[in-house]
Amino acid sequence: MTTLNALMKLNGRRALITGACGGLGRVMAPTFAELGADLVLLDRSDTPLVELAAEVTAEWGVDVVVRHCDLESQATRDELIAGLLQEGRLDILINNAAFVGTSGLQGWGVPFAEQSIETWRRALEVNLTAAFHLCQSLVPLLQVTGHGSIINIGSIYGEYGPDWGLYKGTSMSNPAAYSASKGGLLQLTRWLATTMAPAVRVNAISPGGIARGQVQAFVERYEARTPLGRMATEDDFRGAVAFLASDMSAYVTGQNLLIDGGWGVW
Ligand SMILES: NC(=O)c1ccc[n+]([C@@H]2O[C@H](COP(=O)([O-])OP(=O)(O)OC[C@H]3O[C@@H](n4cnc5c(N)ncnc54)[C@H](O)[C@@H]3O)[C@@H](O)[C@H]2O)c1
């Protein structure tokens, strides 16, 4: 029998993480590196991607390359994809980059009547269309590895509607486009899982709210509504992505793992 330790290892595999400089990306990169994976870290050009790559290489000794790319632009994605196909090696794809609730976009984190169609389109392009484009274009690499794995990063808001009581009296909001893009990403996960099987497994995780200095009133209500009694930390997601990326989950595809402290169980 293969040891669990061996099943977990990612040595000799290469993982692409989009949105690598974000809160979650920053913990996923060293998580995969600790398990032995080489990395392609992708984010926008205004992020400290080079520094992150240097930190991960220094700590874990894996090969890390950096790709600056604005995923909102199809032409820029095409360039990225051409380069990746030429490099010719990819085992794991993590679609993590997104416009999130706190992204300071116009017509985004505002009341329903003020949410703009232009921003809706931009969010769908980054959060959903870019993931479709990367999955479709990188099939040739992922399917020849014998253990290709895609992990899409969803959200509780791709699964459930917002509880507006949490936001009352705060300036925080929850854009419709965010929910719709994440719901689409979760369904894309199931569609791809049957389409890309058996060569590539496709799964999602759906995080609950991560503690990021939100206003006290919101945090208190959120915690009271969460069976495990707290908001998430970035570390809460490391085990799940390690599981889904590795042979630990060799018979798991098309699943959405809600990592939300029980928020959606009620
Ligand atoms: N933070 C939460 O509470 C929470 C909850 C549920 C789901 N999520 C999901 O987890 C994932 C990571 O979220 P996070 O909290 O780390 O967000 P974050 O904002 O800290 O990181 C997102 C990263 O994506 C990058 N990005 C955004 N637009 C991009 C573009 N056009 N091209 C390339 N890169 C782009 C950003 O530069 C950033 O580094 C997202 O998919 C998010 O929707 C987060």
Side-chain angles (χ1 to χ4, degrees):
M1 201 186 347
T2 314
T3 61
L4 286 176
N5 198 32
L7 284 177
M8 203 185 301
K9 288 283 185 235
L10 297 177
N11 295 84
R13 301 189 193 186
R14 191 173 195 234
L16 166 61
I17 305 172
T18 71
C21 276
L24 209 47
R26 280 183 165 277
V27 299
M28 288 196 281
T31 298
F32 293 133
E34 180 179 349
L35 296 174
D38 293 328
L39 299 174
V40 184
L41 302 182
L42 179 153
D43 212 310
R44 290 186 292 214
S45 55
D46 59 350
T47 58
L49 206 46
V50 173
E51 290 82 347
L52 175 65
E55 276 169 38
V56 174
T57 309
E59 186 164 9
W60 299 107
V62 296
D63 184 48
V64 183
V65 302
V66 157
R67 292 286 173 266
H68 288 117
C69 173
D70 181 354
L71 290 171
E72 192 175 340
S73 152
Q74 183 175 341
T76 311
R77 295 197 304 261
D78 281 335
E79 273 173 39
L80 165 86
I81 288 160
L84 289 166
L85 291 175
Q86 210 159 30
E87 288 161 27
R89 213 183 119 216
L90 193 71
D91 305 82
I92 299 159
L93 167 62
I94 316 292
N95 287 305
N96 167 68
F99 284 156
V100 299
T102 50
S103 300
L105 305 165
Q106 280 232 314
W108 176 246
V110 289
F112 180 32
E114 295 163 32
Q115 294 180 21
S116 83
I117 289 183
E118 175 54 22
T119 303
W120 165 283
R121 289 203 178 102
R122 292 187 63 195
L124 269 286
E125 187 69 27
V126 174
N127 295 12
L128 183 56
T129 308
F132 164 77
H133 190 187
L134 291 184
C135 291
Q136 185 189 50
S137 307
L138 296 174
V139 169
L141 300 183
L142 292 162
Q143 72 182 2
V144 296
T145 66
H147 44 240
S149 174
I150 295 173
I151 307 175
N152 293 322
I153 310 300
S155 166
I156 49 173
Y157 294 121
E159 190 79 27
Y160 308 111
D163 175 349
W164 291 112
L166 294 173
Y167 298 86
K168 220 171 162 192
T170 77
S171 61
M172 297 170 66
S173 194
N174 186 315
Y178 182 74
S179 271
S181 66
K182 292 299 182 175
L185 189 62
L186 295 179
Q187 187 52 25
L188 177 65
T189 300
R190 298 178 191 107
W191 192 92
L192 289 172
T194 65
T195 306
M196 295 176 81
V200 181
R201 298 183 299 104
V202 188
N203 292 289
I205 64 163
S206 284
I210 302 172
R212 297 259 173 86
Q214 292 93 340
V215 294
Q216 193 58 24
F218 175 86
V219 174
E220 280 170 15
R221 291 178 202 141
Y222 193 99
E223 289 178 349
R225 196 193 183 289
T226 306
L228 293 186
R230 63 173 176 85
M231 296 193 73
T233 69
E234 282 79 6
D235 272 352
D236 288 323
F237 305 97
R238 299 178 65 223
V241 293
F243 169 72
L244 290 174
S246 70
D247 294 346
M248 294 272 280
S249 60
Y251 199 52
V252 179
T253 198
Q255 301 306 306
N256 173 34
L257 185 50
L258 279 144
I259 305 174
D260 64 353
W263 195 90
V265 173
W266 303 107

